[in-house]
Amino acid sequence: MSNSANGAALPRAAGLGSIFDARQQVSEAVSAGLKRRYAREKRFRLYGMLATLFAVAVLGILLFTIIRTGLPAFTQTMIKLSVTLYPQEIDPKGDRDPQTLSSADYQRLVRDALDDYFPDVTSRNDRRELFAMISPGATYVIRSMVIADPSLIGKRIEIEVPLKDDIDQFAKGKIDSEADQANRRVSDKQIGWYQRLVDRDLIVSRFNTTLFTAGDSRSPELAGIWGAVVGSFWTMSLTLLMSFPLAVGAAVYLEEFAPKNRWTDVIEVNINNLAAVPSIVFGLLGLAVFIGFFGVPRSSPMVGALVLTLMTLPIIIIASRAALKSVPPSIREAALGVGASKMQATLHHVLPLAMPGMLTGTILGMAHALGETAPLLMIGMVAFIVDVPSGPLSSATVMPVQIYLWSDAPERAFIERASAAIMVLLGFLTVMNLLAVALRKRFEKRW
Amino acid sequence: MIAMQATTGRATDAAASPVPAFMTRDVCVFYGQKQALTNVSLDIHRNQVTSLIGPSGCGKSTYLRCLNRMNDIIDGCRVTGSILLDGQDIYSGSMDVVHLRARVGMVFQKPNPFPKSIFENVAYGPRIHGIAKDKTELEAIVHNSLEKAGLLAEVKDRMDQPGTGLSGGQQQRLCIARAIAVQPEVILMDEPCSALDPIATARIEELIDELREHFAIVIVTHSMQQAARVSQRTGFFHLGILVETGDTEQIFTNPRDKRTQDYITGRFG
């Protein structure tokens, strides 16, 4: 432009005129297109908002269904029983031998108590149906009370014991009493007896502590998630113990010490690919290698942790390498510049600065592992395990597998327990993610 | 130009004051296949400030980073020629790189204090080298270094606060204090004022002049005024060769080489 303005060949006025014309044109073009540009921007924002709304709505629906299904599992319908602990039934010899106390026929006492409520139910079939309304857990309740305090023998005790899951479901309104009797799991007679119990104020609804203290059970009213929680705890602890040091070590070596050559490139590509391997493949590998070859006990938290370590390792390595990369090179130079060795520079300065990122990656990897089911199916953690696992080598299951098992069960009551377990699992995951955010916020250092 | 390189690339240092701290001869640096420095021969004298000037990419920083082997951490970097610190080849097997960097300190372009307390920043060097016998001695070293760096008065009440919370100029002086805390023989400064305002720059320049009493100082700078103000000797780099070296006054008033003259009069660069 300066050329045309200064150029001797062009008359000065004409040169300036053409510049004005050009400016006019540009300004017109800008104002003509402006409206369309803004409209486009508005549309784009709208799409973004709709997408966000859709995501939030779907999440809301998911949470709503889970909570609506799972909430009833936190209460359990109980029956008040008045049980007479006849000495001749429990301890005929009267020596309070623990062996005798634990093997006594407490079921009979429960039946006696029920007979007291329903003296009119006499036929064999009817009585069987009547007794089926009470959970087998009732006898355990009485037994443990007697063993804890043998002086109760001979007295009459008032206790609350759980009703069988079908009656519980009926009490919660999950079973339609209008439906044909053959199509529901509660008979007309049982409904009648239940109504009589309600009328006599003998039915109460209590917080379901069993859900949080018991292991799995065939009877839904006796089943709890504690076994799975403890199994998850052992599995996760071992996974963390194995994967964190390994992954951080690998990341530090690859990022700080390893020469950049074809071999490290191959390793890097492989690690990245490992993160994308379907998790069931890790399960098969665990089955073949850890159980088949090394003989780690099947369905133990140990073998689960080994498999999950393989799975989370690439995730943590990738996150840790990114964290190391984000430490500015000036920090390394500063340390090396005062004469720190490579290792001192890394341990004293780079690693502490990368730690929040590494921990965040680790927690996210652990959260991923906590929700993992597929590889654990392969190594037997899907087994029906009643006992709360006592250590890393005892049989165990984990929360997501427990959810899988329960949602597969035919009993209705297990469905709501599965949802309750999902709520607990989501709670754990939320806490872990919040922890990751908090760590990032807390240790983030400016440089 | 190529023909000239052959003749002037060997511009050697004629001024022979007492034994130089650094004696470098025919230093060539390669990044992979690319040659960044060709046959640089230069002496760095004690109690003097040597400034390296030249346009961007001329190799002056590369040369500086040879002197404490900071180039080691760059993949594919190769150095030939001899670099003698007190007569000892720093690239030979007998010289440990950690030991070398304790003897040759460095201050970088961007202030880079550790994200730790002011005290820890200065104490780090003496601590890893095990220079101080006990805590009081360490404190004495830290105070002494901060004092020499002209920072003590400003920070003595907040030694436990993060070094990153200081202003840019203070951070750079903290970095100088950190470097002198290990009592090096030579301090390398890679454009130490390029990220600072004029007032902070003036403080650093004053400081450099004071530090000259104890150390040999090499400073890379883009500011010719700065080179003229702080240095006693100057080397002019261009396209990977050392074109001319000499007393600063001579270089700026009476350059021998045409390229030097063009550069200092602002005709290129």
Side-chain angles (χ1 to χ4, degrees):
Chain A
M1 262 197 270
S2 66
N3 274 347
S4 69
N6 299 333
L10 273 174
R12 200 181 165 84
L16 278 180
S18 69
I19 290 169
F20 286 142
D21 286 349
R23 279 188 190 150
Q24 190 70 29
Q25 271 176 16
V26 168
S27 148
E28 271 166 20
V30 167
S31 49
L34 217 50
K35 219 171 138 190
R36 221 177 48 231
R37 271 202 256 175
Y38 282 131
R40 198 179 289 164
E41 192 174 316
K42 231 177 179 170
R43 265 203 312 274
F44 187 75
R45 272 219 299 264
L46 188 71
Y47 295 151
M49 234 157 69
L50 286 177
T52 314
L53 272 178
F54 179 73
V56 169
V58 169
L59 183 69
I61 291 169
L62 178 78
L63 286 178
F64 177 74
T65 11
I66 289 173
I67 291 173
R68 203 190 53 177
T69 324
L71 225 39
F74 292 106
T75 58
Q76 168 68 39
T77 316
M78 315 279 266
I79 178 173
K80 290 185 192 166
L81 282 186
S82 185
V83 181
T84 312
L85 303 170
Y86 299 111
Q88 64 270 32
E89 290 282 354
I90 300 168
D91 190 15
K93 280 183 265 166
D95 55 2
R96 302 292 187 257
D97 179 16
Q99 190 65 42
T100 324
L101 291 186
S102 81
S103 59
D105 186 4
Y106 294 100
Q107 198 175 6
R108 181 140 179 199
L109 300 177
V110 176
R111 289 180 177 177
D112 287 348
L114 266 184
D115 279 338
D116 286 351
Y117 286 159
F118 298 101
D120 52 317
V121 181
T122 47
S123 88
R124 235 181 110 99
N125 280 344
D126 284 357
R127 285 186 70 210
R128 187 187 296 152
E129 246 182 85
L130 177 64
F131 299 148
M133 288 174 69
I134 290 193
S135 164
T139 56
Y140 309 144
V141 172
I142 302 173
R143 181 171 64 191
S144 58
M145 280 177 82
V146 169
I147 289 173
D149 183 8
S151 68
L152 287 175
I153 294 170
K155 291 180 185 152
R156 192 177 176 81
I157 53 170
E158 305 290 323
I159 54 169
E160 289 174 0
V161 295
L163 282 170
K164 199 85 185 78
D165 59 307
D166 292 328
I167 309 297
D168 176 59
Q169 289 299 298
F170 176 75
K172 287 170 181 168
K174 297 281 181 63
I175 291 174
D176 182 13
S177 58
E178 303 297 316
D180 185 17
Q181 191 178 190
N183 289 341
R184 56 179 141 86
R185 297 186 44 99
V186 187
S187 68
D188 287 338
K189 281 183 188 158
Q190 285 177 322
I191 292 176
W193 294 324
Y194 174 75
Q195 285 306 338
R196 280 167 64 188
L197 288 169
V198 172
D199 293 342
R200 287 163 67 183
D201 241 359
L202 291 170
I203 299 291
V204 286
S205 180
R206 294 277 182 251
F207 180 73
N208 188 1
T209 46
T210 312
L211 185 65
F212 296 99
T213 54
D216 200 3
S217 169
R218 296 263 182 239
S219 310
E221 72 277 5
L222 299 178
I225 54 171
W226 185 241
V229 169
V230 172
S232 272
F233 168 78
W234 279 116
T235 312
M236 286 300 108
S237 311
L238 290 170
T239 307
L240 181 67
L241 228 59
M242 291 187 281
S243 62
F244 183 68
L246 272 179
V248 169
V252 166
Y253 175 73
L254 285 174
E255 203 54 50
E256 302 289 326
F257 295 98
K260 305 273 176 285
N261 57 27
R262 195 176 309 181
W263 282 111
T264 44
D265 283 350
V266 167
I267 289 173
E268 182 167 356
V269 168
N270 272 301
I271 288 173
N272 291 342
N273 282 342
L274 219 52
V277 169
S279 53
I280 192 119
V281 175
F282 287 109
L284 287 168
L285 180 99
L287 178 62
V289 176
F290 298 131
I291 297 179
F293 187 73
F294 289 108
V296 183
R298 177 186 301 264
S299 72
S300 64
M302 187 68 202
V303 67
L306 285 167
V307 167
L308 291 176
T309 297
L310 288 184
M311 226 190 65
T312 47
L313 211 52
I315 300 175
I316 306 179
I317 290 178
I318 292 169
S320 299
R321 291 190 68 176
L324 287 168
K325 270 201 188 92
S326 74
V327 175
S330 65
I331 295 293
R332 294 181 184 82
E333 286 185 340
L336 295 175
V338 291
S341 66
K342 187 89 199 221
M343 203 177 94
Q344 285 172 323
T346 305
L347 287 186
H348 296 166
H349 300 289
V350 179
L351 209 52
L353 289 174
M355 212 28 109
M358 289 178 163
L359 289 178
T360 308
T362 306
I363 291 173
L364 294 181
M366 295 303 290
H368 190 85
L370 178 61
E372 197 56 66
T373 323
L376 304 181
L377 302 183
M378 292 286 111
I379 51 170
M381 293 194 92
V382 74
F384 172 72
I385 289 148
V386 178
D387 294 324
V388 174
S390 55
L393 293 177
S394 57
S395 292
T397 189
V398 291
M399 297 220 19
V401 175
Q402 187 71 77
I403 290 166
Y404 166 78
L405 282 170
W406 280 352
S407 49
D408 214 27
E411 289 90 348
R412 272 194 91 106
F414 273 132
I415 306 298
E416 62 180 36
R417 278 167 176 77
S419 289
I422 290 172
M423 285 161 69
V424 173
L425 184 61
L426 282 179
F428 278 127
L429 291 174
T430 311
V431 167
M432 286 174 88
N433 284 326
L434 284 179
L435 200 68
V437 172
L439 270 175
R440 200 160 40 199
K441 285 260 184 302
R442 171 75 181 75
F443 292 108
E444 211 167 43
K445 280 184 176 164
R446 308 258 167 247
W447 43 73
Chain B
M1 193 64 115
I2 291 161
M4 254 193 285
Q5 253 180 29
T7 55
T8 53
R10 286 179 171 272
T12 48
D13 210 326
S17 54
V19 189
F22 265 117
M23 227 163 75
T24 65
R25 292 291 176 269
D26 297 328
V27 175
C28 299
V29 178
F30 303 85
Y31 294 121
Q33 293 301 309
K34 192 175 159 286
Q35 185 161 12
L37 272 187
T38 311
N39 293 338
V40 175
S41 300
L42 182 68
D43 287 350
I44 310 292
H45 296 279
R46 293 172 207 285
N47 308 108
Q48 271 191 355
V49 179
T50 308
S51 64
L52 309 179
I53 59 170
S56 294
C58 66
K60 53 195 190 302
S61 286
T62 298
Y63 175 75
L64 191 76
R65 294 166 77 91
C66 287
L67 299 181
N68 67 345
R69 288 178 57 181
M70 232 21 182
N71 284 333
D72 284 15
I73 55 176
I74 298 168
D75 274 322
C77 180
R78 196 159 53 83
V79 180
T80 63
S82 74
I83 301 177
L84 305 180
L85 174 63
D86 291 333
Q88 196 183 358
D89 188 349
I90 64 166
Y91 277 88
S92 76
S94 63
M95 175 64 90
D96 185 80
V97 67
V98 167
H99 192 196
L100 170 71
R101 287 181 190 148
R103 290 172 66 186
V104 183
M106 188 155 190
V107 177
F108 297 85
Q109 183 169 4
K110 206 174 142 250
N112 57 354
F114 299 128
K116 300 185 178 198
S117 73
I118 293 168
F119 182 89
E120 283 304 315
N121 260 285
V122 184
Y124 183 66
R127 189 172 283 156
I128 58 171
H129 295 303
I131 292 171
K133 277 186 215 67
D134 50 31
K135 204 164 176 296
T136 48
E137 201 169 322
L138 187 65
E139 273 167 12
I141 292 175
V142 170
H143 273 252
N144 197 5
S145 306
L146 284 169
E147 172 117 61
K148 270 193 209 154
L151 194 61
L152 188 61
E154 290 157 65
V155 301
K156 65 170 182 284
D157 300 326
R158 44 174 177 156
M159 297 283 267
D160 53 347
Q161 282 175 27
T164 40
L166 297 171
S167 76
Q170 288 173 325
Q171 286 189 20
Q172 196 63 299
R173 276 181 280 149
L174 180 62
C175 292
I176 293 174
R178 181 176 65 191
I180 60 185
V182 288
Q183 291 293 325
E185 297 163 42
V186 184
I187 301 177
L188 311 175
M189 298 186 175
D190 192 356
E191 296 180 45
C193 302
S194 66
L196 304 182
D197 66 62
I199 295 167
T201 301
R203 295 270 345 234
I204 301 275
E205 286 179 8
E206 269 172 49
L207 179 59
I208 290 172
D209 204 48
E210 288 163 21
L211 292 176
R212 178 160 70 90
E213 199 182 316
H214 308 281
F215 311 97
I217 295 174
V218 188
I219 176 171
V220 163
T221 175
H222 268 132
S223 156
M224 280 171 287
Q225 290 85 349
Q226 187 171 61
R229 279 193 300 264
V230 301
S231 70
Q232 285 71 52
R233 294 184 61 73
T234 297
F236 171 63
F237 282 74
H238 184 52
L239 296 174
I241 58 170
L242 178 61
V243 175
E244 185 172 350
T245 73
D247 288 343
T248 301
E249 214 184 315
Q250 175 254 312
I251 293 274
F252 280 95
T253 54
N254 185 22
R256 283 188 293 266
D257 195 285
K258 172 94 176 25
R259 287 168 292 176
T260 315
Q261 185 166 17
D262 286 351
Y263 183 71
I264 60 172
T265 51
R267 222 160 289 165
F268 72 86

